[in-house]
Amino acid sequence: MCGIVGYVGDTKTKDVLLAGLARLEYRGYDSAGIAVTTAAGEVDVRKRSGKLARLAQLLEDDPIHPGTTGIGHTRWATHGGPTDENAHPHLSEDGRVALIHNGIIENFAQLREQLGEASFKSETDTEVVAVLLGSEVKKQGDLEAAFRTVVTQLEGTFTLLATSADEPGKVVSARHHSPLVVGIGDGENFLGSDIAAFVEYTRRAVAIDDDNIAVITADEVRVTDFAGNPLPFEEFEIAWDPAAADKGGWPSFMAKEISEQPEAVANTIRGRITPEGVVIPELSELGDEFLQGIERIVVIACGTAAYAGMIGRYAIEEWARIPVEIELSHEFRYRNPIVSEQTLVISISQSGETMDTMMAVKYAKERGAKTISVCNTQSATIPRESDAAIYTHAGPEVSVASTKAFLAQVVALQLFGLHLGRVRGSLDSEAAKRAIAQLETLPEKVSEAVATHDDITQLAKWMSDTRSVLFLGRHVGFPVALEGALKLKEITYIHAEGFAAGELKHGPIALIDHGQPVFVLVPSPRTSPVMHSKVVSNIQEIRARGARVISIVEKGDTATLPYSDDVIRLPLADPMFEPLLQVIPLQWFALELCQAKGLDVDQPRNLAKSVTVE
Ligand code: M6R
């Protein structure tokens, strides 16, 4: 949460900061602000509550002074509402030091008390750090020394960037449980909360580790620990194409990302299927012996990633015959979970920075478990913390509502399940071949599912006044129902719930009233005849009570026709792969209903893409 960008280079500072903030806005959009340190020795700040466009307008009306050094911030509010005063950057009392922050300073009240007479303009925890840093700079006469003194006094989580009027040409930064990356340019250097902050300027990056400080000037990058001891660092090359993080003519990132799902799936599979079967070289660190000896798998994730985990569980249990539990990351470490050296903990995170998941991974490692991260973001914190990482190759996902990353996560877990099944000898080669053949045809089928858009658009238009929508699924369809409901809640703000179809008669059927829309995910009658007939009975039960039924069926299944108001038809797939198709019309439905209601598709209220606070 909160996007952070820093720059030292030439006079294009303001443009670099604004471009970085535009790419980071998905991390928070309660306010935005920049500070530029000028050669004349002053720090100039412009900041505004609301989205970045308001800051851009302010900069037109009241241009910031030019300079070669600057920091920028886009905020997801924690301490203090989304006002101009609470927007970052915050200044020291004398206005000569500017600071931005992502995270939470838990001891800010004590520090504020410690600062005694100092006057504060905002309600934020961050301003206390800015004031403290300003007073240390005055005492020590050196920004870096003062910064080191301050960071060791802070409790909580933080990425901090600061610049001082007395030392133009330098930005200091530190991280403690919040993300920070450096971008290395030619005569210019960058800082960001992720590579999106500077991907259009350089492909060279360095991931900064926890409890490290990075100092950039135009020509130099230095990394130290909090005591100032120099540390070596390793560069990596950014694989993302900067154009991939642009809307490219689409009305929203979400629409673009839904449409990109065939490639997201193909890219995640690419190179991992060989004539010998599924290969995942990234797992070689763990070794086949460990994989053969695993007794339990625990999957930890949040939100959409957790639903991907629920779907992956069916595949892993089916093919590798190992018990799999799925748990929300933020619940995992608070219940003293049973974890041993034979437990494999798989975390799933698109961003690789979700604090709840990161803390759960650390907790699992402390208890001796081996950890694998399924992640979409190169060199993010969670894969770096894990024993092995299976990267999904969905490309940058900007929309707050996750779509293509979800499909890629499910596919990565399925590849893992197939690999594990073969390594453990629980999956015969014929069954493996059949599943692999299904995976290979998946991108094409996903394309067909993406083409349900037109049918869904009509449906959403008719339903624009709907106040509640329910989703029903059985077996692998159940997590799809949960995901369909989450998509709808998060971008349309209407009540939505997903249920296991069999659970309905145990309570939720009381919700069904005349005209209540219910999406039903219908399993294939070819491959799952028993479940299919049960779901058809569930449809009849809700229909008898007045529900408006929208059935999502495979092509050729006519059984639900007499009891459905609308039917969406999808290509044929084996049960494990059905969710990858069924979820797509639900993604389109959320998007179209959001548009019909005139709401912001990519930046829903109260949310941020990357949840880096607990
Ligand atoms: O980056 P992560 O995959 O760890 O994020 C987890 C959730 O916050 C995320 O999936 C969230 O639920 C999405 N906004 C849902 O669309």
Side-chain angles (χ1 to χ4, degrees):
M1 280 164 166
C2 298
I4 278 185
V5 55
Y7 176 72
V8 185
D10 60 33
T11 47
K12 66 177 189 282
T13 304
K14 182 202 82 178
D15 299 331
V16 172
L17 296 178
L18 279 183
L21 291 183
R23 288 190 187 277
L24 294 176
E25 208 183 6
Y26 65 84
R27 288 179 157 266
Y29 28 85
D30 287 333
S31 64
I34 62 172
V36 172
T37 302
T38 67
E42 58 166 351
V43 174
D44 204 13
V45 172
R46 298 288 181 279
K47 54 187 190 173
R48 257 294 141 84
S49 61
K51 295 192 176 165
L52 187 60
R54 282 177 41 89
L55 173 68
Q57 186 57 54
L58 174 67
L59 287 162
E60 294 259 301
D61 300 342
D62 182 12
I64 200 159
H65 290 149
T68 58
T69 308
I71 55 178
H73 187 269
T74 174
R75 178 169 187 246
W76 186 83
T78 58
H79 293 56
T83 62
D84 288 352
E85 293 73 29
N86 290 335
H88 300 213
H90 289 284
L91 289 172
S92 56
E93 268 196 300
D94 61 5
R96 299 192 61 74
V97 173
L99 178 129
I100 54 177
H101 167 220
N102 171 23
I104 292 177
I105 305 298
E106 285 167 4
N107 60 335
F108 86 101
Q110 292 101 292
L111 293 171
R112 195 170 169 143
E113 219 176 287
Q114 209 172 293
L115 286 162
E117 298 302 297
S119 61
F120 295 93
K121 298 181 180 67
S122 79
E123 306 152 87
T124 64
D125 49 345
T126 307
E127 192 185 8
V128 177
V129 186
V131 170
L132 185 61
L133 181 61
S135 83
E136 284 300 326
V137 168
K138 254 192 191 159
K139 266 192 238 161
Q140 305 190 37
D142 177 61
L143 176 64
E144 285 181 51
F147 193 63
R148 287 198 296 273
T149 307
V150 169
V151 292
T152 50
Q153 293 179 53
L154 305 179
E155 287 166 22
T157 58
F158 53 85
T159 303
L160 295 169
L161 263 62
T163 173
S164 162
D166 298 322
E167 297 183 46
K170 180 187 284 181
V171 175
V172 293
S173 64
R175 72 161 279 178
H176 179 66
H177 298 327
S178 276
L180 175 63
V181 276
V182 173
I184 301 180
D186 189 9
E188 57 184 1
N189 288 308
F190 308 80
L191 289 159
S193 28
D194 65 57
I195 53 178
F198 47 72
V199 67
E200 66 190 275
Y201 300 103
T202 181
R203 312 304 290 270
R204 295 167 61 200
V206 176
I208 301 301
D209 284 327
D210 248 357
D211 298 334
N212 285 354
I213 287 175
V215 178
I216 61 163
T217 64
D219 307 309
E220 193 188 20
V221 173
R222 275 182 291 118
V223 179
T224 70
D225 60 18
F226 280 4
N229 300 307
L231 294 170
F233 55 84
E234 226 175 90
E235 257 184 66
F236 68 90
E237 199 189 320
I238 299 173
W240 281 354
D241 172 2
D246 286 333
K247 262 192 220 162
W250 289 87
S252 63
F253 278 109
M254 185 178 177
K256 175 179 177 247
E257 288 160 9
I258 294 175
S259 309
E260 284 172 346
Q261 292 184 112
E263 297 92 76
V265 167
N267 290 340
T268 301
I269 295 171
R270 184 163 300 122
R272 289 174 169 153
I273 294 179
T274 70
E276 286 75 50
V278 169
V279 287
I280 311 184
E282 300 93 317
L283 298 182
S284 57
E285 290 282 299
L286 291 177
D288 284 357
E289 208 179 310
F290 167 74
L291 296 179
Q292 280 153 0
I294 298 171
E295 287 171 0
R296 260 171 78 231
I297 294 178
V298 180
V299 177
I300 48 176
C302 301
T304 288
Y307 299 144
M310 283 174 76
I311 297 170
R313 170 194 188 175
Y314 290 91
I316 297 171
E317 286 193 341
E318 176 76 18
W319 295 327
R321 306 307 300 153
I322 300 181
V324 180
E325 283 164 45
I326 162 95
E327 181 141 17
L328 296 169
S329 316
H330 37 89
E331 290 295 316
F332 175 70
R333 70 190 179 116
Y334 293 108
R335 65 171 182 89
N336 197 9
I338 299 162
V339 172
S340 76
E341 285 174 5
Q342 276 69 50
T343 308
L344 173 67
V345 172
I346 304 180
S347 68
I348 310 171
S349 175
Q350 186 286 131
S351 61
E353 300 293 350
T354 298
M355 179 64 79
D356 291 316
T357 304
M358 191 178 91
M359 289 308 191
V361 169
K362 285 192 172 172
Y363 184 88
K365 278 180 77 179
E366 279 160 25
R367 272 155 185 72
K370 286 268 186 279
T371 54
I372 294 181
S373 148
V374 172
C375 183
N376 194 42
T377 311
Q378 216 185 341
S379 285
T381 308
I382 297 173
R384 286 191 296 125
E385 282 284 334
S386 305
D387 295 301
I390 304 177
Y391 280 104
T392 52
H393 298 296
E397 190 180 68
V398 178
S399 163
V400 167
S402 182
T403 55
K404 62 177 180 172
F406 173 76
L407 262 72
Q409 286 160 350
V410 173
V411 167
L413 292 169
Q414 291 174 337
L415 288 166
F416 175 70
L418 289 170
H419 176 68
L420 197 59
R422 292 300 287 152
V423 169
R424 291 172 69 94
S426 52
L427 179 68
D428 68 55
S429 70
E430 280 316 302
K433 272 189 199 147
R434 182 179 164 90
I436 288 171
Q438 289 272 313
L439 271 174
E440 284 176 321
T441 58
L442 208 51
E444 210 176 292
K445 291 177 183 173
V446 169
S447 282
E448 277 186 61
V450 168
T452 56
H453 189 187
D454 288 349
D455 302 340
I456 294 289
T457 307
Q458 288 310 321
L459 193 64
K461 276 194 185 127
W462 297 327
M463 288 171 66
S464 60
D465 292 330
T466 301
R467 298 184 57 192
S468 159
V469 180
L470 304 181
F471 296 83
L472 294 188
R474 209 174 256 271
H475 188 244
V476 286
F478 172 40
V480 178
L482 296 173
E483 171 62 3
L486 175 61
K487 285 288 90 85
L488 203 61
K489 280 184 261 208
E490 97 180 298
I491 64 169
T492 70
Y493 321 144
I494 65 174
H495 170 253
E497 275 190 79
F499 294 110
E503 188 64 10
L504 211 61
K505 56 192 171 301
H506 298 286
I509 200 162
L511 290 170
I512 306 291
D513 199 359
H514 182 71
Q516 169 67 54
V518 185
F519 279 82
V520 186
L521 303 153
V522 184
S524 160
R526 293 171 304 113
T527 58
S528 318
V530 178
M531 272 197 295
H532 176 265
S533 64
K534 297 267 186 284
V535 171
V536 175
S537 302
N538 296 143
I539 291 178
Q540 284 164 317
E541 288 154 15
I542 55 172
R543 177 72 175 208
R545 288 160 178 85
R548 174 178 178 164
V549 176
I550 306 114
S551 299
I552 304 207
V553 305
E554 76 168 22
K555 277 183 189 153
D557 177 7
T558 52
T560 65
L561 277 183
Y563 325 109
S564 301
D565 297 274
D566 300 278
V567 178
I568 306 293
R569 292 175 183 81
L570 294 171
L572 279 52
D574 276 3
M576 291 303 162
F577 305 98
E578 273 174 0
L580 293 152
L581 308 176
Q582 289 172 333
V583 75
I584 295 170
L586 305 188
Q587 297 168 340
W588 280 131
F589 179 67
L591 179 142
E592 288 300 336
L593 201 61
C594 174
Q595 284 184 172
K597 292 168 87 67
L599 298 169
D600 189 329
V601 173
D602 290 327
Q603 296 183 339
R605 71 183 180 200
N606 305 338
L607 290 172
K609 178 83 182 150
S610 183
V611 184
T612 55
V613 292
E614 274 186 281

